[in-house]
Amino acid sequence: MAKPMKFATKLIHAGIHPDPSTGAVMTPIFQTSTYAQTSPGVHKGYEYSRTHNPTRTVLQDNLAALEEGKFAMCFATGLAATDAVMKILKPGDEVLASSDLYGGTYRLFTKIFEDFGIKFKFLKIQNAADVEPHLTAATKLVWVETPTNPLLRIVDIASVSALTKEKGILLAVDNTFATPFLQNPLTMGADIVMHSLTKYMAGHSDVVMGALVVKDEILHQKLAFIQNASGATPGPMDCFLVLRGLKTLHVRMERHCQSAKEIANWLYHHPKVGHVYYPGLEHHVGHAIAASQMNDFGGMVSFTLKNDSLPEAIQVMEKLRVFTLAESLGGVESLCTHPASMTHGSIPKEEREKNGLKDTLIRLSVGLEDIEDLKEDLAQAIG
Ligand SMILES: *Cc1c(COP(=O)(O)O)cnc(C)c1O
């Protein structure tokens, strides 16, 4: 048997084969809604593009391989993928979620699914000990991000999954910040990996998409049924764009990590900077877990100013020229975000502050520009 492909080879080849009809090396964009049948019900596995589309199939097969899973399902957005996971639950079921969460996920849970009778409890989760006291007979799912957004907190995936497995509860990990280049939650015992492919995976800030990856056949059947029945599937052009982006994920992530590390260290030593949040810094809570479960520490860095002044933090964000002030992350270009008013504006201020997210926090997505230009930009903006 051939040896399993290494990660970089999988990015470029897993699930991807020259098109049998033409030999096209790159996956064609099958821009079609329907497929001819030779007799009613006799077809080549494709009936209607909400259910299946050949461009999406290739992307899904590639993602399943990258995450060490068996099945991947793509959705129109990351939130549509999360929405599909919630739909396997029933009224009365409880979800334990980490309190440091993407704002849109929090909004989906509290503003949509609470109304359907699903109960959510938000906790500071670092390991199984934080979860165990809150489990009840109704707990069906634990939902975490690691590193979290925007405080880059770390969840010990193996610790939490040992507990959820023992109790027969599902563990879902939003792997958007890490990507499979840095960690594979399924190999650490998670049941579901969720991605906003919009970010590092597609990597060029030109497409919005989400995915779920699982190993279990029954779980796959349930989620694939929802994917088709609820219908939030992406189009073939977008699947092509994500496939194209993925081919360079390893090269991009290496540079994202290298530059973010340098910027985190530089900020750490800057006299006007207060706290720096980066899992690669030794003082960072969870650094040791990050070092053991991740291959590197990622491209996201958050920080506050020493004087904690909101007007000054806003001035820094306004002055940045190479970093663009915008929502999102994970593209080739550097972005700067004000979580309190942008990505996390949908979380009430008191909830944000309870969780340690200050209104003065600045979040950076460190892109692939020259590191000297990035540091110079930060230097002139911070002053
Ligand atoms: C962006 C993001 C999402 C939501 O994904 P969309 O593609 O914007 O719907 C979920 N989780 C994290 C960590 C994100 O950054």
Side-chain angles (χ1 to χ4, degrees):
M1 209 182 88
K3 276 194 192 170
M5 280 186 236
K6 302 272 194 304
F7 189 77
T9 314
K10 279 194 215 170
L11 282 169
I12 296 164
H13 294 293
I16 299 164
H17 309 284
D19 177 51
S21 62
T22 61
V25 170
M26 287 301 133
T27 307
I29 302 163
F30 286 91
Q31 195 74 48
T32 185
S33 62
T34 190
Y35 306 82
Q37 309 196 0
T38 50
S39 180
V42 180
H43 52 74
K44 298 184 160 87
Y46 292 93
E47 296 164 90
Y48 186 61
S49 280
R50 174 172 15 82
T51 321
H52 295 294
N53 174 280
T55 315
R56 170 152 52 97
T57 302
V58 172
L59 174 58
Q60 291 178 161
D61 290 349
N62 187 251
L63 291 169
L66 297 179
E67 279 294 7
E68 305 283 348
K70 288 213 176 84
F71 311 98
M73 292 145 279
C74 289
F75 294 84
T77 69
L79 282 176
T82 305
D83 177 271
V85 175
M86 292 302 121
K87 286 174 178 159
I88 64 179
L89 302 174
K90 301 273 183 299
D93 287 350
E94 286 177 12
V95 177
L96 298 180
S98 67
S99 48
D100 199 21
L101 211 58
Y102 176 70
T105 307
Y106 179 87
R107 182 177 56 198
L108 178 68
F109 289 176
T110 57
K111 295 277 165 54
I112 306 280
F113 283 100
E114 263 180 11
D115 284 352
F116 288 97
I118 295 167
K119 298 194 177 75
F120 295 89
K121 206 171 200 181
F122 297 95
L123 312 168
K124 195 165 170 182
I125 300 178
Q126 283 174 319
N127 52 41
D130 300 322
V131 175
E132 188 153 27
H134 301 275
L135 294 175
T136 72
T139 312
K140 293 288 154 58
L141 177 78
V142 175
W143 184 281
V144 297
E145 286 175 20
T146 183
T148 67
N149 181 11
L151 295 170
L152 290 320
R153 288 188 181 136
I154 303 296
V155 179
D156 184 337
I157 299 173
S159 159
V160 176
S161 78
L163 175 68
T164 52
K165 279 229 169 358
E166 180 198 320
K167 306 282 181 189
I169 297 165
L170 293 173
L171 173 63
V173 178
D174 179 339
N175 206 28
T176 301
F177 271 36
T179 82
F181 177 75
L182 296 181
Q183 71 190 12
N184 286 128
L186 296 178
T187 65
M188 293 182 253
D191 301 286
I192 302 171
V193 164
M194 176 266 162
H195 274 288
S196 171
L197 301 173
T198 313
K199 315 295 167 53
Y200 288 107
M201 299 286 269
H204 295 71
S205 304
D206 52 10
V207 64
V208 179
M209 201 187 295
L212 299 174
V213 189
V214 301
K215 274 184 173 168
D216 183 71
E217 171 88 51
I218 309 275
L219 189 54
H220 168 243
Q221 280 171 9
K222 281 189 198 172
L223 291 166
F225 178 82
I226 295 164
Q227 180 195 30
N228 178 53
S230 287
T233 48
M237 177 71 197
D238 285 352
C239 292
F240 170 85
L241 285 171
V242 176
L243 275 167
R244 184 165 74 166
L246 278 171
K247 292 179 203 301
T248 54
L249 180 72
H250 52 321
V251 189
R252 289 185 285 109
M253 287 308 290
E254 267 172 28
R255 180 62 69 86
H256 283 301
C257 292
Q258 186 190 326
S259 294
K261 200 174 299 171
E262 193 161 334
I263 284 176
N265 274 313
W266 182 86
L267 286 167
Y268 184 68
H269 291 106
H270 194 291
K272 286 197 179 166
V273 169
H275 197 85
V276 182
Y277 301 84
Y278 185 65
L281 293 173
E282 268 171 34
H283 75 263
H284 191 81
V285 183
H287 168 73
I289 301 293
S292 71
Q293 77 183 9
M294 300 170 73
N295 296 322
D296 206 338
F297 301 103
M300 302 298 296
V301 182
S302 296
F303 70 100
T304 54
L305 296 177
K306 195 160 265 169
N307 65 13
D308 222 14
S309 144
L310 182 58
E312 278 190 41
I314 289 173
Q315 214 175 51
V316 169
M317 292 182 269
E318 286 172 350
K319 276 188 177 166
L320 286 167
R321 287 192 280 265
V322 182
F323 284 84
T324 304
L325 180 61
E327 302 226 4
S328 202
L329 61 114
V332 292
E333 73 294 336
S334 291
L335 297 180
C336 151
T337 303
H338 180 226
S341 68
M342 296 164 76
T343 50
H344 290 64
S346 46
I347 300 177
K349 184 178 166 77
E350 59 184 62
E351 278 299 313
R352 289 199 306 263
E353 293 194 338
K354 212 164 74 189
N355 184 41
L357 168 49
K358 291 180 176 178
D359 280 2
T360 51
L361 189 82
I362 299 171
R363 190 191 78 181
L364 303 176
S365 172
V366 179
L368 306 183
E369 301 91 341
D370 191 286
I371 183 71
E372 292 310 318
D373 288 337
L374 294 178
K375 282 198 284 192
E376 224 167 86
D377 193 33
L378 286 164
Q380 65 80 21
I382 296 170

